[in-house]
Amino acid sequence: MALEMRDRCERCETARLPLDAPARICSYECTFCVPCGDAMRNTCPNCGGELVTRPRRAPSR
């Protein structure tokens, strides 16, 4: 099962998050840019879970 790689921060909605960009996700795949994740102290506002570094995917060729 693959992660859903969302392309926008769910908090600020302005940060673009390409597949190779750093981002933070929780176990439910809520996705945030790094500055928003830091501002929320790496806690997901939706589920209360921990935000961790999203794995990166290589861009398709």
Side-chain angles (χ1 to χ4, degrees):
M1 177 168 43
L3 289 173
E4 180 182 334
M5 301 294 274
R6 298 179 184 154
D7 65 353
R8 291 217 182 265
C9 174
E10 292 182 36
R11 182 174 184 233
C12 69
E13 297 183 357
T14 57
R16 298 253 327 127
L17 302 172
L19 296 179
D20 62 344
R24 302 285 184 259
I25 61 170
C26 73
S27 62
Y28 291 100
E29 300 178 13
C30 300
T31 306
F32 304 94
C33 64
V34 173
C36 284
D38 291 345
M40 297 182 296
R41 297 187 177 165
N42 290 316
T43 301
C44 179
N46 302 322
C47 68
E50 178 183 20
L51 293 175
V52 297
T53 302
R54 177 179 75 176
R56 295 184 193 182
R57 283 192 190 147
S60 55
R61 296 179 194 182

